[in-house]
């Protein structure tokens, strides 16, 4: 840095006999200004901020998404094991996938790329047993949807009520 004005060394300058600032004081002030200007943009960064606030809790509808995906997987597994039931079980599996998709949209999460495994590893060997197992799954899922609907805010209750009704209808379709 080149200083073109006379700078005193703590005593009067020769030119006007006035007390001036020392070169050292001017350099310190310039350095502080430079550091302050460089640090100002960093104050918004996480470098100096400690974010000790915990992450928000997961949405209470998240288990409903997983449950709908698991039901869809159970129906697909049963349809694969019993091809004679595929026409009957396929639309119900698609309905559960649609429920999971809509629930995920409402809570703002992406559907997992892999579908959850069915609750029971293998469906019963006879078609009647497979239908009975699916009815039991639907009944349990309907109860959890009913509880979620009762606890949900008004803007979500309609969706959950629709899912609850669909699960009750699925039980009847499986008889």
């Amino acid at each position: 840095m080149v200083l073109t004005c006379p700078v005193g060394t703590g005593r009067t300058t020769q030119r006007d006999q006035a007390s001036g600032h020392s070169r050292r004081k001017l350099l310190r002030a310039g350095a502080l200004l430079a550091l302050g200007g460089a640090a100002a943009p960093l104050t918004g960064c996480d470098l100096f901020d400690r974010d000790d606030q915990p992450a928000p809790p997961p949405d209470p509808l998240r288990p409903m998404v997983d449950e709908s995906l698991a039901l869809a997987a159970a129906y697909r597994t049963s349809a694969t094991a019993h091809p004679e039931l595929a026409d009957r079980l396929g639309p119900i599996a698609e309905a559960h996938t649609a429920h999971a998709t809509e629930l995920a949209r409402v809570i703002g999460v992406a559907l997992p790329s892999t579908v959850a495994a069915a609750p029971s590893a293998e469906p019963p060997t006879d078609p009647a047993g497979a239908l009975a197992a699916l009815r039991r799954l639907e009944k349990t899922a309907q109860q959890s949807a009913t509880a979620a609907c009762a606890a949900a805010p008004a803007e979500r209750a309609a969706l959950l009520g629709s899912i609850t009704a669909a699960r009750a209808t699925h039980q009847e379709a499986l008889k």
Side-chain angles (χ1 to χ4, degrees), residues 14-154:
Q14 295 175 1
R15 189 182 277 177
D16 59 0
Q17 299 297 322
S19 176
H21 296 290
S22 72
R23 184 172 292 150
R24 192 171 285 162
K25 284 183 184 178
L26 286 175
L27 288 174
R28 272 192 218 136
L32 287 174
L33 284 174
L35 285 175
L42 296 177
T43 57
C45 295
D46 200 19
L47 182 64
F48 296 117
D49 294 337
R50 287 248 181 205
D51 190 16
D52 294 335
Q53 297 177 7
D59 194 287
L61 291 185
R62 180 61 203 208
M64 293 289 298
V65 174
D66 298 334
E67 184 178 56
S68 294
L69 290 173
L71 283 168
Y75 276 92
R76 287 190 184 98
T77 301
S78 292
T80 302
H82 305 288
E84 66 274 13
L85 297 175
D87 290 339
R88 193 171 169 188
L89 301 181
I92 299 174
E94 290 173 16
H96 285 299
T97 302
H99 294 161
T101 302
E102 184 61 19
L103 286 165
R105 185 194 65 76
V106 166
I107 65 175
V109 298
L111 284 178
S113 58
T114 58
V115 178
S120 59
E122 282 191 36
T125 56
D126 63 321
L131 292 175
L134 290 171
R135 270 195 311 274
R136 283 190 301 274
L137 287 174
E138 283 288 354
K139 183 172 176 104
T140 303
Q142 180 193 7
Q143 291 168 347
S144 68
T146 302
C149 183

